[in-house]
Amino acid sequence: IAQRQRKQDNEINKDTANANKEIEIIASEGKARAIENIAKAKQIELAAEGFGIAEQIDVLVKTGMPIEAAREMIIDRYKWSKIGDKSLIIESGNSSVAGDGAKFGAGMEKGKNTNNEPKS
């Protein structure tokens, strides 16, 4: 009786292991398809974005702007749209009260560079 019980337990364990293996295979196939679908969607998004940028440059060129100037303008616009409100711009040059205030807010001290080393 004990031997029969062990044999049944082994069969149950074997069936459970095979079922778990099948579940893992199905899950990994699903994950692979999801990754592939995300990559395809990103590819479509980037292609549409590139087409939009090309169209903007084309419109500017048709209005008489040199192609290089149009390209630079669109690149700058695109760059700033990606930065959004995540940055603080501190212009170099003549010091001003506003510039000093911005530097103070950014954690820089007047007369020191960003590495906190004295200017020479």
Side-chain angles (χ1 to χ4, degrees):
I1 294 175
Q3 189 176 11
R4 194 173 348 159
Q5 184 63 41
R6 280 193 301 275
K7 186 176 180 181
Q8 285 177 342
D9 289 345
N10 287 340
E11 287 296 319
I12 290 170
N13 289 340
K14 184 178 177 182
D15 290 344
T16 302
N18 285 335
N20 287 337
K21 182 179 176 183
E22 288 294 321
I23 290 169
E24 287 179 25
I25 290 170
I26 292 168
S28 66
E29 288 172 353
K31 286 178 185 176
R33 278 193 299 269
I35 290 168
E36 183 179 350
N37 289 339
I38 289 169
K40 285 178 182 177
K42 187 67 175 172
Q43 180 182 16
I44 291 168
E45 176 187 347
L46 290 173
E49 190 173 316
F51 179 75
I53 290 170
E55 285 293 311
Q56 290 177 28
I57 292 171
D58 189 46
V59 168
L60 291 172
V61 169
K62 286 179 181 175
T63 63
M65 183 180 277
I67 192 165
E68 192 58 34
R71 189 181 76 76
E72 287 298 319
M73 181 179 175
I74 298 303
I75 288 172
D76 283 346
R77 184 185 310 156
Y78 179 78
K79 177 176 55 175
W80 286 108
S81 72
K82 293 295 180 188
I83 292 174
D85 62 352
K86 300 176 187 85
S87 64
L88 171 66
I89 299 171
I90 301 173
E91 294 184 15
S92 60
N94 293 336
S95 180
S96 68
V97 174
D100 289 343
K103 290 176 187 176
F104 177 76
M108 293 189 259
E109 294 179 33
K110 188 174 179 179
K112 293 190 177 184
N113 65 17
T114 56
N115 295 329
N116 291 330
E117 298 170 2
K119 287 183 179 179
S120 34

